[in-house]
Amino acid sequence: MSFLTKDDLITVATADIINRLTNHDSSIIDSIIQESIALFKSYLSKHYNTDHIFSQAGNARHKTVLKRLKDVVIFEIYERHTREHNLAAKRRYDEAMLWLEKLNTGEFFDLTLPQKQTSENTPSQSLQVRFGSNKKYSSLY
C-alpha cells in the first residue's frame, strides 16, 4: 500500500475534478504521487528518516506530511492539465514548498517526524566546507 492514494485526494479536490483533469487515468495520478514522494524525500532526507515516514499507511501516516503531499500532488495534476493556475492549489503548493525548504535548511524543525539516525559511517554536518576568510588586518610599518 502506498503512503498516498487517489482516494486520499478527495479532501483537497473532488473526485470528479481529479478524474476530468486526468481523463480517468489512474496511472497518471500514481506517477505524480511517486514523483512528489521522491521530491519530499529529497527535501526531508537531510534530517529525517524518510523510509520510515513514507512506509506508513492508514492512521499511522504523519498528518502534516500527508497534507502537504496532497497539496503538491493536486497542484501537479492541475499543472499537467492546463498552464492556468488554480489559485487555491497554487497557494497551498507554495506553502508546502516553503515548509519543505525550511525543514531542509533547519530553519524549522519538526520533532514529531522520525529523526535520521546518524552512525559513524555517515558523514556528519560538521564535514561541510565553510568558504571565506578571516578579518583583514593592516599593519603600519
Side-chain angles (χ1 to χ4, degrees):
M1 179 154 182
S2 179
F3 182 79
L4 177 66
T5 63
K6 177 183 174 183
D7 295 335
D8 294 325
L9 297 175
I10 62 169
T11 60
V12 288
T14 64
D16 184 47
I17 290 175
I18 294 169
N19 288 329
R20 255 190 282 145
L21 292 173
T22 60
N23 293 326
H24 297 278
D25 188 355
S26 293
S27 66
I28 293 170
I29 297 170
D30 293 337
S31 295
I32 290 173
I33 288 172
Q34 293 307 314
E35 291 167 358
S36 299
I37 287 175
L39 174 72
F40 269 59
K41 284 183 175 182
S42 68
Y43 275 94
L44 296 174
S45 64
K46 184 174 181 181
H47 301 290
Y48 303 102
N49 183 347
T50 56
D51 291 334
H52 179 72
I53 293 169
F54 292 104
S55 67
Q56 303 300 309
N59 288 333
R61 299 176 293 186
H62 192 275
K63 303 298 185 219
T64 306
V65 173
L66 185 63
K67 177 187 179 345
R68 300 297 187 184
L69 182 60
K70 288 179 193 178
D71 293 340
V72 170
V73 169
I74 288 297
F75 176 77
E76 293 292 337
I77 290 172
Y78 275 108
E79 184 75 10
R80 179 198 167 276
H81 179 69
T82 179
R83 295 300 173 216
E84 293 179 21
H85 295 290
N86 176 311
L87 295 179
K90 175 69 173 146
R91 179 185 50 77
R92 290 193 310 253
Y93 172 82
D94 290 341
E95 289 173 2
M97 294 307 294
L98 180 65
W99 178 76
L100 281 174
E101 289 172 14
K102 286 185 176 188
L103 284 175
N104 181 271
T105 60
E107 183 179 336
F108 179 71
F109 201 71
D110 190 340
L111 296 176
T112 62
L113 288 169
Q115 304 301 307
K116 187 174 189 177
Q117 298 296 325
T118 57
S119 67
E120 293 184 23
N121 295 336
T122 60
S124 68
Q125 299 291 6
S126 63
L127 296 178
Q128 293 180 354
V129 178
R130 181 180 170 267
F131 292 97
S133 62
N134 291 332
K135 183 178 177 184
K136 304 260 187 229
Y137 293 100
S138 62
S139 55
L140 302 171
Y141 286 105

